[in-house]
Amino acid sequence: MSSSFQAPRGTYDILPATAATVLAVREALAAPLRRAGYGYIETPVFEDVKLFSRGVGESTDIVSKEMFTLTRRSDEDLALRPEGTASVLRATLEANLHRIGNLPVKLWYSGSQYRYEKPQKGRYRQFWQVGAEAIGAEDPALDAELVILAHDAYRSLGLRDFRILLNSLGDKTCRPVYRAALQEFLGGLDLDEETVRRAAINPLRVLDDKRPEVAKQLVGAPRLRDYLCEDCKAYHERVRELLTAAGVGFEDDDKLVRGLDYYTRTTFEFVHDGLGAQSAVGGGGRYDGLSEMIGGPALPSVGWALGVDRTVLALEAEGIELPGPAGTDVFAVPLGDEARRVLFGAVTELRREGLSADIVYGPKGLKAAMKAADRSGARYAVVAGERDLAENLVQLKDLTSGDQTPVALDALVTTLKEKLK
Ligand code: HAM
């Protein structure tokens, strides 16, 4: 009988059968960051709700519809983090990391994020990201570095069917001019009430509207690329050149606006073509104004977050199986109380010597115990009964060939270490 409880809607359990893949994905996404000088950071899973409303943006879906807020008795409201960038920047400012060391402060993180979304395949209410933030430097090489690191991370997993979409959202000089032009254009369209409201608050997000009745009216909308100032144009061109020189292919996509308000200049998304609707496996960009938005000094920064859940789905879609962890080496099958005492000691010693060893637990007969040994995937079973122990012996059974040989108890550890080398 199963329990009367289930994992909450939009969440799932990572069970041992898939855990190896999940852990390997997190490791593969992080490995290139470590090699590029990013230091690991962990921040709380909840923060002051205002950090996200100010940082991510009041008008975004993430803040206006999807935040898990926690009500407490005191006046400070908390929310489960919907993303990592605002928290990492908050922690950097709080610990003065930007004053103590070199700029940029390069940080990476790995953890769960929470968004109250309508669950579907690839879209969950609790999901995992590996993220990277380079804080306090304005240099196209940094934007390019991050895109290259994500590209190399996906490649190291064997993924092939992903594309990189690249755009520039301009800066505080040129974006307002474009915004006004776009608003004027949108004002002449036939849009529903909510979209009209969105056009007033964040007109660029309307460009992202995939509904056919909206998308068809957007043909002929003013294009941001025609409004970029000379500085933004030169910056973007440099990022493009560096990516090309590194052999990283990308597609220019001037409809790419992303769902968070803090972006300036470079934005990018990694999309996988085998995932259906939720195709973005990762995304990021430059956020030069975020530090000031949360009360810090000017700290131009750039970063990304890659979705672990969707990367696992992308591996499945491409039929890629990652090598699993090494299984149990040795499984002990004691017959009788004295044998249990002796073999439990032997198993402890084997583990201390670095082998992976397990033992049958609970009252089990020989047949059930041997079945447990087989199921464990162990290479060897160590079987011992009273008669063996009287002679200071155990029986070593090769579970692949079925061969069984007696081994002196005090030679068991060295024999197994030798055989499993
Ligand atoms: P984001 O695009 O919102 O960016 O999320 C990054 C990635 O997290 C997505 O591409 C996707 O793979 C994954 N993801 C997002 N929502 C879900 C969900 N509900 N279920 C499963 N996976 C999901 C950010 O979070 C920014 N903080 C990235 C960033 C860092 N920008 C600058 N620095």
Side-chain angles (χ1 to χ4, degrees):
M1 207 178 91
S2 64
S3 113
S4 45
F5 295 103
Q6 291 176 339
R9 196 164 133 74
T11 72
Y12 63 97
D13 302 303
I14 298 170
L15 301 171
T18 44
T21 307
V22 172
L23 292 175
V25 165
R26 287 187 200 156
E27 176 51 33
L29 299 182
L33 295 169
R34 285 198 211 99
R35 290 195 292 268
Y38 288 73
Y40 183 67
I41 184 168
E42 271 186 34
T43 61
V45 294
F46 51 82
E47 297 267 2
D48 185 327
V49 71
K50 290 193 286 300
L51 174 67
F52 303 119
S53 47
R54 269 198 232 154
V56 176
E58 204 85 66
S59 76
T60 61
D61 285 353
I62 293 177
V63 167
S64 64
K65 300 186 191 151
E66 297 167 2
M67 204 120 79
F68 278 94
T69 43
L70 310 171
T71 329
R72 304 183 316 148
R73 261 177 295 166
S74 88
D75 49 5
E76 181 199 3
D77 275 330
L78 300 170
L80 294 183
R81 60 184 181 201
E83 59 107 49
T85 310
S87 306
V88 167
L89 192 53
R90 193 266 311 135
T92 302
L93 296 172
E94 190 173 332
N96 270 319
L97 300 183
H98 59 297
R99 296 226 187 95
I100 298 165
N102 283 339
L103 290 179
V105 181
K106 287 178 162 189
L107 300 168
W108 77 275
Y109 53 93
S110 173
S112 51
Q113 315 292 340
Y114 302 85
R115 296 182 193 174
Y116 194 80
E117 303 215 59
K118 204 165 161 210
Q120 63 181 86
K121 189 171 180 194
R123 190 205 268 164
Y124 309 105
R125 290 180 175 173
Q126 171 176 273
F127 57 97
W128 274 262
Q129 290 181 337
V130 169
E133 314 292 348
I135 295 164
E138 190 186 280
D139 185 336
L142 205 50
D143 307 42
E145 168 178 295
L146 279 158
V147 176
I148 294 166
L149 291 173
H151 167 272
D152 290 358
Y154 287 133
R155 278 293 166 94
S156 77
L157 285 165
L159 290 171
R160 289 285 172 275
D161 301 340
F162 65 87
R163 291 176 291 128
I164 301 173
L165 310 179
L166 185 71
N167 194 20
S168 171
L169 292 179
D171 64 7
K172 57 177 184 262
T173 313
C174 55
R175 181 125 55 111
V177 183
Y178 172 68
R179 196 186 132 102
L182 183 61
Q183 259 168 344
E184 198 182 319
F185 173 85
L186 295 174
L189 305 184
D190 177 21
L191 301 170
D192 59 279
E193 221 171 285
E194 198 188 324
T195 314
V196 170
R197 216 173 312 127
R198 184 174 299 154
I201 306 168
N202 191 345
L204 272 74
R205 299 252 344 271
V206 179
L207 294 179
D208 208 19
D209 203 317
K210 307 256 170 5
R211 290 172 301 171
E213 66 274 21
V214 179
K216 73 168 190 270
Q217 297 189 69
L218 294 173
V219 180
R223 295 179 315 181
L224 182 50
R225 98 168 87 120
D226 299 328
Y227 286 76
L228 289 183
C229 61
E230 287 311 311
D231 284 354
C232 285
K233 255 192 232 160
Y235 192 96
H236 197 56
E237 204 37 55
R238 190 84 187 117
V239 175
R240 296 175 77 257
E241 279 165 18
L242 289 166
L243 292 178
T244 306
V248 171
F250 57 87
E251 296 169 22
D252 292 308
D253 180 357
D254 58 4
K255 288 227 160 62
L256 181 71
V257 295
R258 314 249 316 116
L260 304 93
D261 279 355
Y262 48 59
Y263 291 113
T264 50
R265 290 195 170 166
T266 316
T267 51
F268 50 86
E269 218 156 73
F270 287 77
V271 293
H272 192 277
D273 291 324
L275 292 188
Q278 303 306 316
S279 63
V281 287
R286 184 156 272 287
Y287 48 95
D288 292 342
L290 179 56
S291 174
E292 287 144 300
M293 274 146 67
I294 62 168
L299 280 175
S301 307
V302 56
W304 51 238
L306 312 181
V308 173
D309 316 69
R310 289 188 195 167
T311 305
V312 171
L313 293 174
L315 288 170
E316 271 168 31
E318 288 198 41
I320 299 169
E321 277 189 37
L322 303 178
T328 306
D329 298 318
V330 184
F331 200 89
V333 175
L335 307 169
D337 283 347
E338 177 57 10
R340 174 168 297 279
R341 192 185 61 75
V342 172
L343 288 194
F344 187 77
V347 162
T348 301
E349 203 182 331
L350 286 166
R351 290 174 181 161
R352 287 181 176 155
E353 287 294 321
L355 300 182
S356 84
D358 207 350
I359 187 169
V360 68
Y361 291 102
K364 277 202 178 72
L366 178 62
K367 208 168 145 206
M370 287 313 290
K371 204 165 161 194
D374 274 331
R375 268 209 204 122
S376 78
R379 298 264 314 278
Y380 293 96
V382 177
V383 187
E386 265 155 45
R387 217 176 316 143
D388 301 302
L389 292 180
E391 294 174 54
N392 265 324
L393 289 178
V394 294
Q395 302 295 326
L396 189 59
K397 183 167 184 181
D398 182 325
L399 290 173
T400 318
S401 67
D403 294 344
Q404 187 167 310
T405 42
V407 174
L409 184 57
D410 57 10
L412 179 64
V413 174
T414 40
T415 308
L416 278 169
K417 276 179 88 173
E418 191 56 35
K419 283 185 182 293
L420 287 161
K421 216 167 33 193

